[in-house]
Structures are given as C-alpha cells and as structure tokens.
C-alpha cells in the first residue's frame, strides 16, 4: 500500500508515523524507497516506526521528542508505551498486542536561553480588512456576534433558579426577531461556606460575562449569604473598571421562596425585551472579532488536521486585525519549543513559562502531575502521553503566528493579536475563561466527539476525521478529515474562515441548532500548598454504605423529599452527561 494512503508523517524528520486507518498485521507499506512490514495490527490513530530506532534513541513527532526507546525498534513495529497497552487491553481489542511496551515517556524540560532569544515577527495585516455583521455595544464593550439576555446564577446556590427562569422565555426569538434568546449561566462554584481558593477566577469570569458584547442585558441572582455575593461582584467590577454602567442590569437577592423570586426575575426580563430588540446588526470590521481556540475529546489526528486548520483560520483573522485566544495550560506542556519559536519578546516568553510552572505546582499540591492529563479515551484514540497531546494541541497556533500576549484566566483582551490565556485542560473551564476575556466566537476541534457549547457564544465544531464526522454530522460544522482524504489544508482553511464570518454575522452553527449549552468555571482546588498529600492518602477509603436521608431546610427555600418515591432519577456521571440527562428528563416530563 502507498504510505500516503494509509499514514501521515507530521514532520519530515519524524521516525514514527500515524496510521490513518486500522492496518492489519503483516500489511506491507511502501515508504521512502523501501517496504515496511507491520509487526502487529495497528489501530487507527496509533503510531508505527518508519525508521530503525535504537535503544535509548528519542521518538519524534512533529520533530519534537515524546519518548525514549526501551529496546531496538524496527521499521513497521507498533509504537506503544505502557499506558497504550493498558487502554487497549481494557477495551478488549480483537487483535494481538505487543507483549511489552517499546518506549517510555520522555519530556525534556524547556529552558529559555536569554542570550539566544530573538523576538518573533507577526504576520502582516491586510491593508483592506474584511467585515462582518455584528451588534455594536456602547461603552467600549466591543461588537457582539449574538444578542442575548443573560440570567446569571452568581454561585451554584442560584444555578437552578437561573435555569428555571431562562426556560420561561424559550419563545422569545419567535416574538423578538433581533433577540437570540434568554439564557442561564449556571455553574458549580462558590456555593460553600468558606472563601474559595479560585475567588479571583470566579470574579473575573462573572465580570467578563456581565459586560460581554453578546449580552444585551443581565440579571444576576444570589441568596446573599454566599462567599461571593452580588454586592461583592458589583464592587469588583467597579474597582476593575468593567463597563457595567453600559449594560442594562439588575442584581436580585432571593430572600424568600423559589416561585415568587422567579416571578420577580420574570418581570425584570420582560421590561428589557423591547430594549434588547432594538439592537440590530451593522457592518463591522473583522478587527472587532475575537475567537477562542479550543479542543476536547482529542485524538491522534487533532494535531494533523483540525488543529492546524484552526491555526490557519486564526492567522487569517489576525491579518484582518482580529484576535485569537489559545488556552489549556497543561495541554501545552512539552510543546514549549514550538510555542516559543515565534514570540513577541523575552518577557512574554517568560510569562508563558511561568504559567506552565504554576500549573504544575498546583497539580503537585494534590499529588498529581500534568502527565495524567490524557484520558483513557485520549489514549485509546492515539494520544500516548501529555507530550504527544500537547504537541498536537499547540498546532492551533500556526508556525507563522507570533504569540503576542500572555494573560491570566478570564483577563480581558485589550488589543488585537494572538493571546495565550492560562486555564486548565478541561475545555468547559477553558472556554468560560476565554468568553470572559472577550471572545465572541468559539472554534472547537474534537476527535472523539464533544457536546460542548456555550450559552451565549456560538461554537463552530470541527471534526478531525471523516469516520467520526459521518457518525456525528448533525453536531459538527466542519470535516477536517477531508485533509486526510486529500483536500489541501489551505482549501479547508478558506472554507472554514468564510463559515466563521457567516456564523459571526448570524448564521446558526450546528451546536446552536442542537442546543444543550453548559458553563463551568475553573473549579476550586482544595490544597494551597505542599504537605497534605500523604495525610489524604492515609484516610480510610469510603465504605460504600449509603448516606442516611434527612430533611434539609435552606434559607432560600425548602427541599421536600417526602414524595421522592414519585420521582424517576436519571443520574449523570459527568458534566457532559448532565446535558444528555437533562434532555432525556425534559422529553419524559413533556
């Protein structure tokens, strides 16, 4: 079989390639003037050696090392570490696996050489930038791609109230043609009694949501006794010069029962509907567009097709004067040489590396490391370790694209260019920070599939491979797998950029049509320093016995469980599954 029909070599100097489909043991592949004979069946997305690799040699993908050979590896051998063999055995694959791993994970700690550093160069801007149709907002809030009224649960205690109130306005788009809807921001944070360790992240995120250019009006609700209250949030916004005065808003404290508070909120929103409907789209320069670059459910092709496609789109937008935001700190560990190969100045490079170090420090407080980032699904789909995952994730930044700014989680973007924002690898938490920073479009790549969508910012979903795209076509906007099938990446880049402009101008994306948006802020972390890990590990394991049921009375409203036998419970086991569970419950209740 010709190599180009069955595998991809991300960089010419690589000594391992990625299988584009499952290849049977004994298959013969013509490559670089020789024939490779496969030692084992190689799963789609997994790697095979294309050159002889000696014991102790580095394994390379995208020209960067991700492992060290444990023994001599021959051309055609299945490349596998211990994690991959575990992931495949757990799924009971129907073919023989290698008896033992042939490489171990290896990551070179990056060191910034100040003497050798040279400032990078940004791609040149177009003399005549393009335009889109957006909602211009007063008070230097920017230009929106959508026009929503937002109900914000300030903490997790008012999340269900915000969701219940927003659901009363499902018919708004049919009655007010310029309003995209009334949506809830319901998150899990700051519902305890103590001050959360992620307080700054919460306040910056909620403040950014409040003044976001996609927001026509805001209703924020608290109970008044939380560690983060409406007044706390309002003071933070004033002290940090958020343009709150230019957003129609109300801070509502729920002091009584649930239903009267719902009626109060409903009255406030009904007053805003005619005003919000007066906002209309107008021609705006593309320099006002800010995009979030994200991935979730990644696979081996993320760094080959979909993420490089995002890199092309982001580079083109920056040439029009716009802004792009790359996130997920722990998913760039191991890709530092690539990210910093083109950076604005030495200070920006240092700031990026400091975020990497800080993230690893926080993980260490909890007895973990970024090495554990790849999920079992990532492993199964060919992401062997954090280095392989990071190198692929970093391709959302094109090699010609300069890193201009490094910002904290949810810190506002204040100038055009390419940004890196500190955030965790959880895509929901990263997206929330990017939206709060001012992103008005989300470009999201996936290999396994992902339900991720944000309530008031449209998401363009880009699938890495054609097989998965065909399975999930209803939820995807772009099939980047066409690149693996022979379509030039530049062609796909032009098509995706045009789609982005149309979506920014009002064309609904697949995620908007399907629904089920979710929000999750960067979650609180229990530990704030070293020394607790051993104590925690020595605690008795949970017994598995059920917790006794008791009546609970909260300040805001009663929770009555006497008639629990009349409820059917759908129990989700993850944030994504919660959206599926909610959809099932909605259909059954109807």
């Amino acid at each position: 079989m010709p190599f180009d029909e069955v595998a991809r070599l991300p960089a010419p100097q690589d000594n391992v390639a990625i299988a584009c489909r499952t290849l049977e043991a004994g298959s013969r592949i013509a490559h670089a003037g020789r024939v490779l004979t496969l030692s084992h069946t190689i799963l789609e997305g997994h790697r095979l050696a294309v050159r002889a690799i000696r014991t102790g040699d580095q394994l390379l993908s995208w020209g960067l090392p991700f492992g060290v050979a444990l023994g001599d590896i021959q051309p055609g051998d299945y490349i596998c570490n211990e994690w991959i063999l575990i992931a495949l055995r757990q799924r009971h694959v129907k073919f023989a696996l290698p008896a033992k791993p042939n490489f171990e994970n290896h990551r070179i700690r990056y060191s910034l050489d100040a003497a050798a550093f040279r400032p990078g160069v940004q791609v040149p801007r177009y003399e005549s930038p393009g335009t889109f149709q957006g909602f211009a907002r007063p008070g230097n809030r920017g230009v929106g791609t959508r026009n929503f009224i937002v109900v914000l649960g300030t903490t997790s205690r008012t999340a269900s109230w915000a969701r219940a109130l927003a659901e009363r306005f499902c018919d708004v788009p049919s009655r007010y043609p310029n309003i995209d809807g009334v949506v809830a921001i319901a998150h899990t944070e700051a519902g305890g009694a103590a001050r959360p360790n992620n307080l700054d992240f919460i306040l910056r995120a909620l403040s950014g949501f409040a003044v976001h250019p996609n927001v026509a009006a805001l209703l924020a609700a608290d109970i008044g006794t939380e560690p983060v209250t409406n007044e706390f949030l309002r003071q933070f916004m004033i002290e940090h010069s958020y343009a709150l005065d230019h957003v129609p808003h109300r801070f509502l404290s729920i002091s009584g029962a649930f239903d009267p508070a719902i009626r109060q909120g409903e009255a406030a929103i009904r007053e805003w509907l005619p005003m919000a409907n007066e906002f209309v789209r107008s021609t705006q320069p593309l320099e006002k567009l800010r995009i979030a670059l994200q991935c979730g459910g990644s696979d081996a092709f993320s760094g080959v097709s979909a993420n490089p496609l995002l890199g092309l789109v982001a580079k083109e937008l920056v040439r029009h004067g716009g802004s792009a935001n790359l996130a997920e700190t722990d998913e760039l560990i191991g890709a530092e040489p690539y990210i910093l190969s083109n950076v604005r100045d030495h200070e920006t490079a240092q700031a990026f590396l400091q975020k990497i170090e800080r993230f690893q420090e926080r993980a260490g407080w909890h007895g973990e490391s970024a090495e554990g980032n790849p999920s079992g699904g990532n492993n199964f789909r060919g992401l062997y370790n954090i280095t392989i995952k990071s190198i692929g994730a970093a391709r959302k930044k094109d090699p010609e694209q300069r890193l201009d700014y490094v910002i904290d989680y949810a810190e506002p973007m204040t100038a055009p260019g390419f940004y890196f924002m500190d955030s965790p690898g959880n895509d929901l938490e990263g997206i929330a920070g990017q939206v709060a920073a001012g992103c008005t479009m989300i470009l999201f790549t996936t290999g396994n599939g992902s339900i991720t969508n944000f309530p008031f910012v449209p998401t363009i979903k880009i699938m890495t491979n054609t097989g998965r795209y065909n399975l999930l076509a209803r939820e995807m906007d772009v099939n980047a797998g066409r690149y693996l099938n022979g379509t030039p990446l530049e062609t796909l880049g032009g098509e995706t950029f045009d789609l982005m402009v149309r979506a920014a101008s009002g064309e609904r994306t697949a995620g908007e049509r399907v629904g089920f948006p979710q929000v999750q802020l960067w979650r609180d972390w229990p530990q704030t320093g070293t020394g607790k890990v051993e104590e925690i590990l020595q605690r008795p394991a949970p017994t598995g016995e059920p917790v006794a049921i008791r009546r609970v009375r909260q300040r805001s409203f009663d929770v009555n469980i006497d008639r629990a036998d009349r409820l059917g419970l759908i129990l989700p086991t993850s944030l994504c599954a919660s959206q599926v569970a909610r959809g099932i419950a909605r259909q059954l209740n109807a």
Side-chain angles (χ1 to χ4, degrees):
M1 297 177 287
F3 177 85
D4 289 345
E5 292 184 7
V6 298
R8 285 290 181 275
L9 199 65
Q13 64 268 45
D14 291 352
N15 50 18
V16 301
I18 304 170
C20 292
R21 58 183 174 86
T22 298
L23 302 172
E24 299 296 330
S27 295
R28 291 158 53 83
I29 300 170
H31 174 67
R34 63 181 300 174
V35 174
L36 313 177
T37 301
L38 302 189
S39 62
H40 293 79
T41 295
I42 297 177
L43 200 63
E44 178 188 49
H46 289 232
R47 284 167 166 77
L48 63 143
V50 294
R51 295 202 297 269
I53 305 171
R54 294 180 299 179
T55 303
D57 282 355
Q58 293 179 339
L59 279 64
L60 304 176
S61 262
W62 289 278
L64 296 174
F66 67 90
V68 171
L70 294 171
D72 290 345
I73 299 173
Q74 302 304 318
D77 281 356
Y78 197 162
I79 299 298
C80 52
N81 60 2
E82 185 177 358
W83 293 354
I84 290 298
L85 291 179
I86 291 172
L88 294 178
R89 288 172 184 142
Q90 286 175 340
R91 285 163 174 77
H92 307 290
V93 295
K94 305 300 183 183
F95 52 84
L97 296 171
K100 60 182 181 179
N102 55 13
F103 84 92
E104 62 182 358
N105 298 336
H106 176 67
R107 178 167 61 86
I108 299 175
R109 185 180 179 90
Y110 183 81
S111 178
L112 184 63
D113 186 347
F117 180 84
R118 296 293 180 270
V121 178
Q122 189 55 281
V123 291
R125 288 183 60 165
Y126 291 124
E127 292 184 3
S128 301
T131 61
F132 74 107
Q133 299 297 307
F135 294 96
R137 304 295 187 187
N140 200 31
R141 287 174 56 206
V143 176
T145 60
R146 296 294 185 268
N147 189 35
F148 280 99
I149 294 174
V150 169
V151 183
L152 172 66
T154 306
T155 73
S156 61
R157 297 193 200 180
T158 49
S160 60
W161 182 90
R163 200 177 282 123
L165 176 58
E167 287 176 354
R168 296 200 172 197
F169 292 91
C170 295
D171 63 339
V172 161
S174 64
R175 296 188 296 114
Y176 295 89
N178 295 328
I179 302 178
D180 290 291
V182 177
V183 293
I185 298 297
H187 61 89
T188 64
E189 297 308 292
R195 175 190 171 106
N197 295 322
N198 62 344
L199 179 61
D200 288 347
F201 295 170
I202 293 171
L203 291 172
R204 280 202 302 268
L206 299 186
S207 299
F209 294 163
V211 301
H212 194 277
N214 285 11
V215 175
L218 172 82
L219 176 62
D222 71 356
I223 294 173
T225 59
E226 307 96 324
V228 178
T229 62
N230 282 344
E231 182 57 25
F232 200 175
L233 174 61
R234 188 179 71 84
Q235 288 295 336
F236 180 88
M237 295 184 71
I238 292 171
E239 291 170 7
H240 293 82
S241 301
Y242 284 88
L244 184 60
D245 289 343
H246 296 277
V247 185
H249 65 277
R250 180 177 175 185
F251 291 107
L252 174 65
S253 284
I254 301 172
S255 57
F258 191 92
D259 287 340
I262 285 283
R263 289 193 291 271
Q264 252 186 304
E266 191 173 357
I269 291 175
R270 293 201 183 282
E271 288 182 11
W272 288 330
L273 289 172
M275 173 277 303
N277 195 54
E278 292 178 1
F279 283 104
V280 295
R281 293 184 183 273
S282 59
T283 302
Q284 300 292 329
L286 278 174
E287 67 182 40
K288 298 294 186 181
L289 189 59
R290 295 169 174 170
I291 61 173
L293 309 175
Q294 267 286 343
C295 59
S298 303
D299 70 355
F301 302 116
S302 295
V304 178
S305 59
N307 287 343
L309 176 59
L310 255 61
L312 289 180
V313 173
K315 181 174 69 174
E316 183 71 1
L317 180 61
V318 170
R319 294 199 68 187
H320 284 276
S323 305
N325 184 308
L326 175 67
E328 299 182 296
T329 306
D330 52 328
E331 296 190 3
L332 295 175
I333 296 173
E336 296 95 337
Y338 176 80
I339 293 291
L340 298 181
S341 63
N342 190 3
V343 61
R344 181 176 187 171
D345 51 37
H346 187 260
E347 290 72 24
T348 303
Q350 284 184 312
F352 174 77
L353 293 175
Q354 287 167 0
K355 300 301 183 191
I356 295 282
E357 289 298 320
R358 179 64 169 167
F359 194 100
Q360 293 180 101
E361 181 185 23
R362 281 201 187 106
W365 294 342
H366 301 82
E368 300 291 344
S369 78
E371 299 296 333
N373 172 289
S375 66
N378 288 152
N379 291 154
F380 183 63
R381 298 285 289 168
L383 297 177
Y384 289 20
N385 54 33
I386 185 58
T387 304
I388 282 286
K389 187 174 183 181
S390 293
I391 296 170
R395 300 294 296 187
K396 293 192 285 286
K397 173 185 172 292
D398 188 85
E400 296 180 357
Q401 187 84 73
R402 186 182 71 180
L403 174 61
D404 293 316
Y405 309 104
V406 172
I407 60 175
D408 287 324
Y409 183 76
E411 182 182 346
M413 301 160 66
T414 57
F418 193 92
Y419 287 74
F420 166 73
M421 184 197 75
D422 186 26
S423 82
N426 180 293
D427 47 275
L428 292 175
E429 298 176 35
I431 285 173
Q434 291 173 304
V435 168
C439 291
T440 52
M441 286 287 300
I442 301 161
L443 274 66
F444 188 99
T445 68
T446 185
N448 289 333
S450 173
I451 198 170
T452 296
N453 291 291
F454 195 84
F456 61 79
V457 177
T459 302
I460 292 177
K461 292 281 189 66
I462 301 166
M463 178 57 76
T464 67
N465 64 91
T466 298
R468 282 284 190 183
Y469 177 84
N470 291 336
L471 287 173
L472 298 169
R474 180 170 168 264
E475 299 182 27
M476 297 293 134
D477 298 282
V478 177
N479 176 19
R482 290 167 54 200
Y483 168 68
L484 303 175
N485 301 332
T487 302
L489 199 62
E490 291 71 19
T491 300
L492 289 172
E495 293 174 1
T496 306
F497 186 86
D498 291 344
L499 171 62
M500 179 187 71
V501 174
R502 297 199 309 271
S505 300
E507 183 176 311
R508 281 161 59 83
T509 65
E512 290 179 295
R513 294 191 297 269
V514 171
F516 303 109
Q518 0 170 215
V519 178
Q520 177 59 49
L521 310 185
W522 190 336
R523 282 171 280 189
D524 196 12
W525 51 90
Q527 309 304 326
T528 57
T530 59
K532 292 277 188 160
V533 175
E534 291 303 320
E535 173 192 332
I536 293 168
L537 292 177
Q538 290 172 6
R539 291 175 184 170
T543 64
E545 292 299 315
V547 177
I549 294 176
R550 60 187 176 86
R551 178 182 291 276
V552 178
R553 182 176 179 84
Q554 295 185 352
R555 182 177 182 277
S556 56
F557 40 82
D558 290 324
V559 180
N560 192 332
I561 58 159
D562 287 346
R563 310 310 297 266
D565 58 317
R566 297 192 181 184
L567 297 176
L569 178 65
I570 301 169
L571 182 63
T573 56
S574 71
L575 286 167
C576 287
S578 70
Q579 300 301 92
V580 179
R582 186 172 293 125
I584 294 170
R586 185 180 298 157
Q587 288 191 21
L588 293 175
N589 286 334

